[in-house]
């Protein structure tokens, strides 16, 4: 996935969390924003962000929900 696509996806995840309320904890939102900051830094090479398995599962689940919502 390209940098711009990942940034957009993470933005959607955060917006979904805000709209639905309480999907992610404050600490989890901080982690997501840290990845966004990393992606915005053009000088760094993009590497997978080291999320915990549980947080990555929540992000993946939220992306799935967003995709389902966009299909309808």
């Amino acid at each position: 996935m390209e940098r711009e696509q990942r940034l957009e996806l993470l933005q959607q995840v955060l917006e979904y969390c805000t709209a639905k309320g309480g999907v992610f904890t404050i600490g989890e939102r901080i982690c997501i924003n840290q990845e966004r900051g990393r992606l915005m830094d053009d000088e760094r090479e993009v590497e997978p962000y080291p999320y915990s398995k549980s947080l990555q599962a929540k992000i993946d689940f939220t992306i799935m929900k967003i995709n389902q919502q966009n299909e309808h």
Side-chain angles (χ1 to χ4, degrees):
M1 178 177 296
E2 290 189 29
R3 181 186 308 256
E4 294 301 320
Q5 290 174 317
R6 182 68 178 173
L7 274 169
E8 178 64 28
L9 193 58
L10 292 174
Q11 181 63 36
Q12 290 175 0
V13 165
L14 291 171
E15 288 172 2
Y16 182 88
C17 177
T18 299
K20 297 296 180 182
V23 176
F24 297 98
T25 66
I26 293 170
E28 290 170 337
R29 289 178 63 93
I30 289 169
C31 288
I32 293 168
N33 277 304
Q34 285 177 331
E35 180 182 3
R36 291 180 68 235
R38 236 187 207 183
L39 290 169
M40 288 182 216
D41 185 358
D42 289 338
E43 294 178 18
R44 291 187 186 182
E45 189 171 321
V46 178
E47 297 176 12
Y49 197 78
Y51 292 120
S52 68
K53 288 181 183 181
S54 63
L55 178 51
Q56 187 60 57
K58 284 175 81 172
I59 291 170
D60 293 341
F61 181 77
T62 303
I63 291 168
M64 182 190 70
K65 293 300 248 181
I66 291 168
N67 289 335
Q68 288 175 347
Q69 194 174 40
N70 290 339
E71 289 175 1
H72 295 156

Coordinates of all heavy atoms in Angstrom, one line a residue:
M1 N 0.8 -1.2 0.0 CA 0.0 0.0 0.0 C 0.9 1.2 0.0 O 1.9 1.3 0.7 CB -0.9 0.0 1.2 CG -1.8 1.2 1.4 SD -2.9 1.1 2.8 CE -3.9 -0.3 2.4
E2 N 0.5 2.2 -0.8 CA 1.3 3.4 -0.9 C 1.1 4.3 0.3 O 0.0 4.2 1.0 CB 1.0 4.1 -2.2 CG 1.5 3.4 -3.4 CD 1.4 4.2 -4.6 OE1 1.4 5.5 -4.6 OE2 1.2 3.6 -5.7
R3 N 2.0 5.2 0.5 CA 2.0 6.1 1.6 C 0.7 6.9 1.7 O 0.0 7.0 2.8 CB 3.2 7.1 1.5 CG 3.3 8.1 2.6 CD 4.5 9.0 2.3 NE 5.7 8.3 2.0 CZ 6.7 8.2 2.9 NH1 6.7 8.7 4.0 NH2 7.8 7.5 2.5
E4 N 0.3 7.5 0.6 CA -0.9 8.4 0.6 C -2.2 7.5 0.8 O -3.1 8.0 1.5 CB -1.0 9.1 -0.8 CG 0.1 10.1 -1.0 CD 0.1 11.2 0.0 OE1 -1.0 11.6 0.5 OE2 1.2 11.6 0.4
Q5 N -2.2 6.3 0.3 CA -3.4 5.5 0.6 C -3.5 5.1 2.1 O -4.6 5.1 2.6 CB -3.3 4.2 -0.2 CG -3.5 4.4 -1.7 CD -3.2 3.1 -2.5 OE1 -2.3 2.4 -2.2 NE2 -4.1 2.8 -3.4
R6 N -2.3 4.8 2.7 CA -2.3 4.4 4.1 C -2.7 5.6 4.9 O -3.5 5.5 5.9 CB -0.9 3.9 4.5 CG -0.8 3.4 5.9 CD -1.6 2.2 6.2 NE -1.4 1.8 7.5 CZ -2.1 0.8 8.1 NH1 -3.0 0.1 7.4 NH2 -1.9 0.5 9.4
L7 N -2.2 6.8 4.6 CA -2.6 8.0 5.3 C -4.1 8.2 5.3 O -4.7 8.5 6.3 CB -1.9 9.2 4.8 CG -0.5 9.5 5.3 CD1 0.2 10.6 4.5 CD2 -0.5 9.9 6.8
E8 N -4.7 8.1 4.1 CA -6.1 8.3 3.9 C -6.9 7.2 4.7 O -7.9 7.5 5.4 CB -6.5 8.2 2.5 CG -8.0 8.3 2.2 CD -8.6 9.7 2.6 OE1 -7.8 10.7 2.6 OE2 -9.8 9.7 2.9
L9 N -6.4 6.0 4.7 CA -7.1 4.9 5.4 C -7.1 5.2 6.9 O -8.1 5.0 7.6 CB -6.4 3.6 5.1 CG -7.2 2.3 5.5 CD1 -8.5 2.3 4.9 CD2 -6.3 1.1 5.1
L10 N -5.9 5.6 7.4 CA -5.8 5.8 8.9 C -6.7 7.0 9.3 O -7.3 7.0 10.4 CB -4.3 6.1 9.3 CG -3.4 4.8 9.2 CD1 -2.0 5.2 9.4 CD2 -3.9 3.7 10.1
Q11 N -6.8 8.0 8.4 CA -7.6 9.2 8.7 C -9.1 8.7 8.8 O -9.8 9.1 9.7 CB -7.5 10.2 7.6 CG -8.4 11.5 7.8 CD -8.0 12.2 9.1 OE1 -6.9 12.3 9.5 NE2 -9.0 12.7 9.8
Q12 N -9.5 7.8 7.9 CA -10.9 7.3 7.9 C -11.1 6.5 9.2 O -12.2 6.5 9.8 CB -11.1 6.4 6.7 CG -11.2 7.2 5.4 CD -11.3 6.3 4.2 OE1 -11.4 5.1 4.3 NE2 -11.4 6.9 3.0
V13 N -10.1 5.7 9.6 CA -10.2 4.9 10.8 C -10.5 5.9 12.0 O -11.3 5.6 12.9 CB -9.0 4.1 11.0 CG1 -8.9 3.5 12.5 CG2 -8.9 2.9 10.0
L14 N -9.7 6.9 12.1 CA -9.9 7.9 13.2 C -11.2 8.6 13.2 O -11.8 8.8 14.2 CB -8.7 8.9 13.2 CG -7.3 8.3 13.6 CD1 -6.2 9.3 13.4 CD2 -7.3 7.8 15.0
E15 N -11.6 9.0 12.0 CA -12.9 9.6 11.8 C -14.1 8.7 12.2 O -15.0 9.1 12.8 CB -13.1 10.1 10.4 CG -12.3 11.3 10.0 CD -12.3 11.7 8.6 OE1 -13.0 11.0 7.8 OE2 -11.6 12.6 8.2
Y16 N -14.0 7.4 11.8 CA -14.9 6.4 12.2 C -15.0 6.3 13.7 O -16.1 6.2 14.3 CB -14.6 5.1 11.5 CG -15.6 3.9 11.8 CD1 -16.7 3.8 11.0 CD2 -15.4 3.1 12.9 CE1 -17.6 2.7 11.2 CE2 -16.3 2.0 13.1 CZ -17.4 1.9 12.3 OH -18.3 0.9 12.5
C17 N -13.8 6.2 14.3 CA -13.8 6.1 15.8 C -14.5 7.3 16.4 O -15.2 7.1 17.4 CB -12.3 6.0 16.2 SG -12.1 6.0 18.0
T18 N -14.3 8.5 15.9 CA -14.9 9.7 16.5 C -16.4 9.6 16.3 O -17.1 9.9 17.2 CB -14.3 10.9 15.8 OG1 -12.9 11.0 16.1 CG2 -15.0 12.2 16.3
A19 N -16.8 9.2 15.1 CA -18.3 9.2 14.8 C -19.0 8.1 15.7 O -20.1 8.3 16.1 CB -18.5 8.9 13.3
K20 N -18.4 7.0 15.8 CA -19.0 5.9 16.6 C -18.8 5.9 18.1 O -19.5 5.3 18.8 CB -18.5 4.5 16.0 CG -18.8 4.3 14.6 CD -20.3 4.2 14.4 CE -20.7 3.9 12.9 NZ -22.1 3.9 12.7
G21 N -17.7 6.7 18.4 CA -17.4 6.8 19.9 C -16.8 5.6 20.5 O -17.5 4.5 20.6
G22 N -15.6 5.7 21.0 CA -15.0 4.7 21.8 C -14.5 3.4 21.1 O -14.4 2.4 21.8
V23 N -14.3 3.5 19.8 CA -13.7 2.3 19.2 C -12.3 2.0 19.6 O -12.0 0.9 19.9 CB -13.8 2.5 17.6 CG1 -13.1 1.3 16.9 CG2 -15.2 2.7 17.1
F24 N -11.5 3.1 19.7 CA -10.1 3.0 20.2 C -9.9 3.8 21.5 O -10.6 4.8 21.7 CB -9.2 3.5 19.1 CG -9.2 2.8 17.8 CD1 -10.0 3.2 16.8 CD2 -8.5 1.6 17.7 CE1 -10.0 2.5 15.6 CE2 -8.5 0.9 16.5 CZ -9.3 1.3 15.4
T25 N -9.0 3.3 22.3 CA -8.6 4.0 23.5 C -7.8 5.2 23.1 O -7.3 5.3 22.0 CB -7.8 3.2 24.5 OG1 -6.6 2.8 23.9 CG2 -8.6 1.9 24.8
I26 N -7.6 6.1 24.0 CA -6.7 7.3 23.8 C -5.3 6.8 23.4 O -4.7 7.3 22.4 CB -6.6 8.2 25.0 CG1 -8.0 8.8 25.2 CG2 -5.6 9.3 24.8 CD1 -8.1 9.6 26.6
G27 N -4.8 5.8 24.1 CA -3.4 5.3 23.7 C -3.4 4.7 22.3 O -2.4 4.9 21.6
E28 N -4.5 4.0 21.9 CA -4.5 3.4 20.6 C -4.6 4.5 19.5 O -3.9 4.4 18.5 CB -5.7 2.5 20.5 CG -5.5 1.2 21.3 CD -6.7 0.4 21.4 OE1 -7.9 0.9 21.3 OE2 -6.6 -0.9 21.7
R29 N -5.3 5.5 19.8 CA -5.4 6.7 18.9 C -4.1 7.3 18.7 O -3.7 7.8 17.6 CB -6.5 7.7 19.3 CG -7.9 7.1 19.1 CD -8.9 8.2 19.6 NE -8.9 9.4 18.8 CZ -9.6 9.6 17.8 NH1 -10.5 8.7 17.3 NH2 -9.5 10.8 17.1
I30 N -3.3 7.4 19.8 CA -2.0 8.0 19.8 C -1.1 7.2 18.9 O -0.4 7.7 18.1 CB -1.4 8.2 21.2 CG1 -2.1 9.3 22.0 CG2 0.1 8.4 21.1 CD1 -1.8 9.3 23.5
C31 N -1.2 5.9 19.0 CA -0.4 5.0 18.2 C -0.7 5.2 16.7 O 0.2 5.2 15.8 CB -0.6 3.5 18.6 SG 0.2 3.1 20.1
I32 N -2.0 5.3 16.4 CA -2.4 5.5 15.0 C -1.9 6.8 14.5 O -1.3 6.9 13.4 CB -3.9 5.4 14.9 CG1 -4.4 3.9 15.2 CG2 -4.4 5.8 13.5 CD1 -5.9 3.8 15.3
N33 N -1.9 7.8 15.3 CA -1.4 9.1 14.9 C 0.1 9.1 14.8 O 0.7 9.9 14.0 CB -1.9 10.2 15.9 CG -3.3 10.7 15.5 OD1 -3.5 11.1 14.4 ND2 -4.2 10.6 16.5
Q34 N 0.8 8.3 15.6 CA 2.2 8.2 15.4 C 2.6 7.6 14.1 O 3.5 8.0 13.4 CB 2.8 7.3 16.5 CG 2.9 8.1 17.8 CD 3.4 7.2 19.0 OE1 3.3 6.0 19.0 NE2 4.1 7.8 19.9
E35 N 1.8 6.6 13.6 CA 2.1 6.1 12.3 C 1.8 7.1 11.2 O 2.6 7.3 10.3 CB 1.2 4.8 12.0 CG 1.5 4.3 10.6 CD 0.7 3.1 10.2 OE1 -0.2 2.7 11.0 OE2 0.9 2.6 9.1
R36 N 0.7 7.9 11.4 CA 0.4 8.9 10.4 C 1.6 9.9 10.4 O 2.0 10.4 9.3 CB -0.9 9.6 10.8 CG -2.1 8.8 10.6 CD -3.4 9.5 11.0 NE -3.6 10.5 10.0 CZ -3.8 11.8 10.4 NH1 -3.8 12.2 11.6 NH2 -4.0 12.7 9.4
G37 N 2.1 10.3 11.5 CA 3.3 11.2 11.5 C 4.5 10.6 10.8 O 5.2 11.3 10.1
R38 N 4.7 9.4 11.0 CA 5.8 8.7 10.3 C 5.6 8.7 8.8 O 6.5 8.9 8.1 CB 5.8 7.2 10.8 CG 7.1 6.8 11.3 CD 7.0 5.3 11.5 NE 7.9 4.9 12.6 CZ 8.1 3.6 12.9 NH1 7.4 2.7 12.4 NH2 8.9 3.3 13.9
L39 N 4.4 8.5 8.4 CA 4.1 8.5 7.0 C 4.2 9.9 6.3 O 4.5 10.0 5.2 CB 2.7 7.9 6.7 CG 2.5 6.4 7.0 CD1 1.0 6.1 7.0 CD2 3.3 5.6 6.0
M40 N 3.9 10.9 7.1 CA 4.0 12.3 6.6 C 5.5 12.8 6.5 O 5.7 13.7 5.8 CB 3.2 13.2 7.5 CG 1.8 13.1 7.4 SD 0.9 14.3 8.5 CE -0.5 13.3 9.0
D41 N 6.4 12.1 7.2 CA 7.8 12.5 7.1 C 8.4 11.8 5.9 O 8.7 10.7 5.8 CB 8.5 12.0 8.4 CG 10.0 12.4 8.4 OD1 10.4 13.1 7.5 OD2 10.6 12.1 9.4
D42 N 8.5 12.6 4.8 CA 8.9 12.1 3.5 C 10.3 11.6 3.5 O 10.7 10.8 2.6 CB 8.8 13.2 2.4 CG 7.4 13.5 2.1 OD1 6.5 12.6 2.3 OD2 7.1 14.6 1.6
E43 N 11.1 11.9 4.5 CA 12.5 11.5 4.5 C 12.7 10.1 5.0 O 13.7 9.5 4.7 CB 13.4 12.5 5.3 CG 13.4 13.9 4.7 CD 14.2 14.8 5.6 OE1 15.0 14.4 6.4 OE2 14.1 16.0 5.3
R44 N 11.7 9.6 5.7 CA 11.8 8.2 6.3 C 11.3 7.2 5.3 O 10.4 7.5 4.5 CB 11.0 8.1 7.5 CG 11.6 8.8 8.7 CD 10.8 8.5 9.9 NE 11.2 9.3 11.0 CZ 10.7 9.2 12.2 NH1 9.8 8.3 12.5 NH2 11.1 9.9 13.2
E45 N 11.9 6.1 5.3 CA 11.4 5.0 4.5 C 10.2 4.4 5.3 O 10.2 4.2 6.5 CB 12.5 3.9 4.3 CG 12.1 2.8 3.4 CD 13.3 1.9 3.1 OE1 14.4 2.4 3.0 OE2 13.0 0.7 3.0
V46 N 9.2 4.0 4.5 CA 8.0 3.5 5.2 C 8.2 2.1 5.6 O 8.5 1.2 4.7 CB 6.8 3.6 4.2 CG1 5.5 3.0 4.8 CG2 6.5 5.1 3.8
E47 N 8.0 1.8 6.8 CA 8.1 0.5 7.4 C 6.8 0.2 8.1 O 6.1 1.1 8.6 CB 9.3 0.3 8.4 CG 10.6 0.6 7.8 CD 11.7 0.6 8.8 OE1 11.4 0.1 10.0 OE2 12.8 1.0 8.5
P48 N 6.4 -1.1 8.2 CA 5.2 -1.4 8.9 C 5.3 -0.9 10.4 O 6.3 -1.1 11.0 CB 5.1 -2.9 8.9 CG 5.9 -3.3 7.7 CD 7.0 -2.3 7.6
Y49 N 4.3 -0.3 10.8 CA 4.3 0.2 12.2 C 4.1 -0.9 13.2 O 3.2 -1.8 12.9 CB 3.2 1.3 12.4 CG 3.4 2.1 13.6 CD1 4.3 3.2 13.6 CD2 2.7 1.8 14.8 CE1 4.5 3.9 14.7 CE2 2.9 2.6 15.9 CZ 3.8 3.6 15.9 OH 4.0 4.4 17.0
P50 N 4.8 -1.0 14.3 CA 4.8 -2.1 15.2 C 3.6 -2.1 16.1 O 3.8 -1.9 17.3 CB 6.1 -2.0 15.9 CG 6.4 -0.6 15.9 CD 5.9 0.0 14.6
Y51 N 2.4 -2.3 15.6 CA 1.3 -2.4 16.5 C 1.2 -3.7 17.2 O 1.7 -4.7 16.7 CB 0.0 -2.3 15.7 CG -0.3 -0.9 15.1 CD1 -0.4 -0.8 13.7 CD2 -0.4 0.2 15.8 CE1 -0.6 0.4 13.1 CE2 -0.7 1.4 15.2 CZ -0.8 1.5 13.9 OH -1.0 2.7 13.3
S52 N 0.5 -3.7 18.4 CA 0.3 -5.0 19.0 C -0.7 -5.8 18.1 O -1.4 -5.2 17.3 CB -0.3 -4.8 20.4 OG -1.6 -4.2 20.3
K53 N -0.8 -7.1 18.3 CA -1.7 -7.9 17.5 C -3.2 -7.5 17.8 O -4.0 -7.4 16.9 CB -1.6 -9.4 17.8 CG -0.3 -10.0 17.3 CD -0.2 -11.4 17.6 CE 1.1 -12.0 17.1 NZ 1.3 -13.4 17.4
S54 N -3.5 -7.1 19.0 CA -4.9 -6.7 19.3 C -5.3 -5.4 18.7 O -6.4 -5.2 18.2 CB -5.1 -6.7 20.8 OG -4.3 -5.7 21.4
L55 N -4.3 -4.4 18.7 CA -4.6 -3.2 18.1 C -4.7 -3.3 16.5 O -5.6 -2.8 15.9 CB -3.5 -2.1 18.4 CG -3.7 -0.7 17.8 CD1 -5.1 -0.2 17.9 CD2 -2.7 0.2 18.3
Q56 N -3.8 -4.1 16.0 CA -3.9 -4.3 14.5 C -5.2 -5.0 14.1 O -5.8 -4.7 13.1 CB -2.7 -5.2 14.0 CG -2.6 -5.3 12.5 CD -2.5 -4.0 11.8 OE1 -1.5 -3.2 12.1 NE2 -3.4 -3.6 10.9
A57 N -5.7 -5.9 15.0 CA -6.9 -6.6 14.7 C -8.1 -5.6 14.8 O -9.0 -5.6 13.9 CB -7.2 -7.7 15.7
K58 N -8.0 -4.6 15.7 CA -9.1 -3.6 15.8 C -9.0 -2.7 14.6 O -10.1 -2.3 14.1 CB -8.9 -2.8 17.1 CG -9.4 -3.5 18.3 CD -9.1 -2.7 19.6 CE -10.1 -1.6 19.9 NZ -9.8 -1.0 21.2
I59 N -7.8 -2.3 14.1 CA -7.7 -1.5 13.0 C -8.3 -2.2 11.7 O -9.1 -1.6 11.0 CB -6.2 -1.1 12.7 CG1 -5.8 -0.1 13.8 CG2 -6.1 -0.4 11.3 CD1 -4.3 0.2 13.8
D60 N -7.9 -3.5 11.6 CA -8.4 -4.2 10.4 C -9.9 -4.4 10.5 O -10.6 -4.3 9.4 CB -7.7 -5.6 10.4 CG -6.2 -5.6 10.1 OD1 -5.8 -4.6 9.6 OD2 -5.6 -6.6 10.4
F61 N -10.5 -4.6 11.6 CA -11.9 -4.7 11.8 C -12.6 -3.4 11.4 O -13.6 -3.4 10.7 CB -12.3 -5.2 13.2 CG -13.7 -5.3 13.5 CD1 -14.4 -6.5 13.0 CD2 -14.5 -4.4 14.1 CE1 -15.8 -6.6 13.2 CE2 -15.8 -4.5 14.3 CZ -16.5 -5.6 13.9
T62 N -12.0 -2.3 11.9 CA -12.6 -1.0 11.6 C -12.5 -0.7 10.1 O -13.5 -0.2 9.5 CB -11.9 0.1 12.4 OG1 -12.0 -0.2 13.8 CG2 -12.5 1.5 12.1
I63 N -11.4 -1.1 9.5 CA -11.3 -0.9 8.0 C -12.4 -1.7 7.3 O -13.0 -1.2 6.4 CB -9.9 -1.3 7.5 CG1 -8.9 -0.2 8.0 CG2 -9.9 -1.4 6.0 CD1 -7.5 -0.7 7.9
M64 N -12.6 -2.9 7.8 CA -13.7 -3.8 7.2 C -15.0 -3.1 7.3 O -15.8 -3.1 6.4 CB -13.7 -5.1 7.8 CG -14.7 -6.1 7.3 SD -14.9 -7.6 8.2 CE -15.7 -7.0 9.7
K65 N -15.3 -2.5 8.5 CA -16.6 -1.9 8.7 C -16.8 -0.6 7.8 O -17.8 -0.4 7.3 CB -16.7 -1.4 10.2 CG -16.9 -2.6 11.2 CD -18.1 -3.4 10.8 CE -19.1 -3.3 11.9 NZ -20.3 -4.2 11.7
I66 N -15.7 0.1 7.7 CA -15.7 1.3 6.8 C -16.0 0.9 5.4 O -16.8 1.5 4.7 CB -14.4 2.1 6.9 CG1 -14.3 2.7 8.3 CG2 -14.3 3.1 5.8 CD1 -12.9 3.3 8.5
N67 N -15.3 -0.2 4.9 CA -15.6 -0.7 3.5 C -17.0 -1.2 3.3 O -17.6 -0.9 2.3 CB -14.6 -1.8 3.2 CG -13.2 -1.3 3.0 OD1 -12.9 -0.1 2.7 ND2 -12.2 -2.1 3.2
Q68 N -17.5 -1.8 4.3 CA -18.9 -2.3 4.3 C -19.9 -1.1 4.2 O -20.9 -1.1 3.4 CB -19.3 -3.2 5.5 CG -18.7 -4.5 5.4 CD -19.0 -5.3 6.7 OE1 -19.4 -4.8 7.7 NE2 -18.7 -6.6 6.7
Q69 N -19.6 -0.1 5.0 CA -20.4 1.1 5.0 C -20.4 1.8 3.7 O -21.4 2.3 3.2 CB -19.9 2.0 6.1 CG -20.8 3.1 6.5 CD -20.3 3.9 7.7 OE1 -19.1 4.1 7.8 NE2 -21.2 4.3 8.6
N70 N -19.2 1.9 3.0 CA -19.0 2.5 1.8 C -19.7 1.8 0.6 O -20.1 2.4 -0.4 CB -17.6 2.7 1.4 CG -16.9 3.8 2.3 OD1 -17.6 4.6 2.9 ND2 -15.6 3.7 2.4
E71 N -19.9 0.5 0.8 CA -20.6 -0.3 -0.2 C -22.1 0.0 -0.3 O -22.7 -0.3 -1.3 CB -20.4 -1.8 0.0 CG -18.9 -2.2 -0.3 CD -18.7 -3.7 0.1 OE1 -19.6 -4.4 0.5 OE2 -17.5 -4.1 -0.1
H72 N -22.7 0.4 0.8 CA -24.1 0.7 0.9 C -24.5 2.1 0.6 O -24.1 3.0 0.5 CB -24.7 0.3 2.2 CG -24.5 -1.2 2.5 ND1 -24.4 -1.7 3.7 CD2 -24.3 -2.2 1.7 CE1 -24.3 -3.0 3.7 NE2 -24.2 -3.4 2.4

